[in-house]
Amino acid sequence: MMRQVLPLVVLLSVLFVALFSSTGSSEETDLPAKDKFHLFLLVGQSNMAGRGKVTPDDQVKNPRVLMLDQQGKWVPAVDPMHFDKPKMVGVGLGRTFGFEVADSSPDITIGLIPCAVGGSPIRSWEPGAWDAPTKSHPYDDAMKRAHKALQSGQLKGILWHQGESDSRPEQAEVYDQKLRDLIARFRKELNAEDVPFIIGQLGKFEDNPWNEAKTQVDRAHQNIAKTDDNVLFVPADGLTHKGDKVHFNAQSYREFGKRYAKAYLEFVEESNVE
C-alpha cells in the first residue's frame, strides 16, 4: 500500500510548490501600448523585497498590475515578488503600491520590476559590486532588468528602501553622499532625470530604539528629500515588525505600499498642476 501512496504524495507536493512559487514558468501576459505601461523599479534591501507572511489574498491577480519575473517575463504581480532569498522572501510593499496606483488611473497598466537584495549595503549598489551572500551584482542586475523592462513601457518611479545594513558608525558617516551618488547614477543610466525617487523610512519600532548611526541614515534620507524636488520621503510611523525587530509584518508592508503610492500620486498631481 505504501508503495502506491508515496508517489502520489510526492506528485501533489511538487504541484503545490509549482503553483505557489513566484518564479515558476508562468506564461507571459499580453502588454498594453508602451505609453500606457507605467513601470516602477523596486530597489534596496530586505524591507523592499518583503518578508511578510503570504496569504491567498496576496496571490490574487490583477490584469493591470504586472511584475517582471526572474526569467524576465511579464506576469501578474503576486507575492512573493522578489527572489533574492527564496526561503525568506514574502509579502512586501510593491504589490499594494501597484494596486493603489492602478486604481487611480483605469487606463494604465502597472509594471513592477523587483530588484531588491536582502542584506545589501549601499556599497553593493555600485557598478560591478558583488553581494556574496546572494551571489549577485545588485546594481548591475537591476540595470539589466530595468533596461529589458523599458523595451515595453515607460519608467515612472524608483522605489527605494535601504539603510539598515549601513546603520553602523563608519557606514552612516558616508551614507548621505553615497545615496546622492546612487540617485544620480540611476537617473543617468535610465534617462530618468525627472522621475521621482521614493525613499521609505527605516522601521521605527518602540522595542528596538535607533542608535546614532541609524538616526544619521534617517537624517540623510530626509535631507535628500528636502533638497531634491524629485526625491520623496515616506514615513514609517506606526508600522510594526513581524517579531524580529527588523522586518515589517505583512499588514505594515501593505500600509507602507499605500503610503508610497500616496506620495507618488500627490507628486504626479502637483507636477501636472505646475
Side-chain angles (χ1 to χ4, degrees):
M1 179 64 69
M2 288 299 291
R3 291 180 181 178
Q4 295 177 348
V5 173
L6 281 175
L8 178 59
V9 171
V10 172
L11 177 60
L12 290 174
S13 298
V14 171
L15 288 173
F16 176 80
V17 171
L19 288 171
F20 186 80
S21 174
S22 67
T23 60
S25 56
S26 302
E27 291 186 6
E28 193 160 13
T29 302
D30 291 335
L31 302 179
K34 192 170 184 177
D35 64 330
K36 297 295 185 182
F37 194 25
H38 291 192
L39 308 180
F40 296 88
L41 186 64
L42 312 181
V43 282
Q45 56 183 112
S46 57
N47 269 324
M48 176 56 73
R51 299 294 188 252
K53 184 178 180 181
V54 179
T55 69
D57 287 344
D58 300 309
Q59 298 200 314
V60 173
K61 299 176 181 179
N62 181 331
R64 291 199 301 112
V65 183
L66 308 179
M67 66 180 185
L68 192 71
D69 72 6
Q70 190 172 9
Q71 289 74 38
K73 297 179 181 178
W74 286 110
V75 299
V78 297
D79 281 319
M81 293 200 309
H82 281 78
F83 41 84
D84 57 315
K85 295 183 178 180
K87 294 182 179 180
M88 301 173 65
V89 74
V91 170
L93 63 89
R95 180 174 174 275
T96 300
F97 171 88
F99 275 50
E100 292 288 313
V101 177
D103 285 346
S104 73
S105 302
D107 61 335
I108 65 170
T109 296
I110 303 303
L112 304 171
I113 314 165
C115 297
V117 178
S120 58
I122 198 167
R123 66 175 181 271
S124 295
W125 291 90
E126 298 175 0
W130 170 252
D131 184 67
T134 56
K135 296 180 172 59
S136 66
H137 295 86
Y139 179 81
D140 296 343
D141 295 343
M143 289 303 97
K144 289 178 183 176
R145 287 172 56 76
H147 283 299
K148 178 176 177 57
L150 285 169
Q151 296 173 12
S152 304
Q154 297 180 348
L155 186 65
K156 295 295 183 178
I158 301 171
L159 280 59
W160 175 258
H161 195 285
Q162 192 276 342
E164 293 91 346
S165 291
D166 289 274
S167 295
R168 298 174 175 83
E170 291 184 3
Q171 291 92 326
E173 289 179 4
V174 297
Y175 187 85
D176 186 292
Q177 189 57 53
K178 282 188 173 292
L179 183 55
R180 291 179 189 274
D181 292 344
L182 178 145
I183 294 170
R185 200 160 49 240
F186 273 128
R187 287 174 170 169
K188 182 178 180 180
E189 175 80 15
L190 301 175
N191 190 26
E193 292 298 326
D194 298 325
V195 168
F197 188 94
I198 310 173
I199 302 172
Q201 189 173 35
L202 302 180
K204 300 179 69 176
F205 309 128
E206 293 183 1
D207 55 352
N208 189 26
W210 284 358
N211 57 22
E212 177 54 34
K214 186 167 285 189
T215 299
Q216 193 168 1
V217 170
D218 177 72
R219 190 180 304 123
H221 287 159
Q222 297 201 43
N223 285 343
I224 293 171
K226 291 176 182 177
T227 56
D228 188 323
D229 291 340
N230 292 332
V231 174
L232 315 178
F233 178 78
V234 183
D237 298 283
L239 303 183
T240 56
H241 62 77
K242 67 173 190 175
D244 61 4
K245 299 183 180 182
V246 176
H247 300 105
F248 300 103
N249 60 25
Q251 182 177 355
S252 291
Y253 278 123
R254 298 183 193 106
E255 170 59 26
F256 217 3
K258 292 179 181 179
R259 295 182 186 182
Y260 269 77
K262 183 175 184 290
Y264 169 73
L265 293 172
E266 288 177 350
F267 173 87
V268 171
E269 184 176 1
E270 292 173 2
S271 298
N272 288 340
V273 170
E274 296 175 359

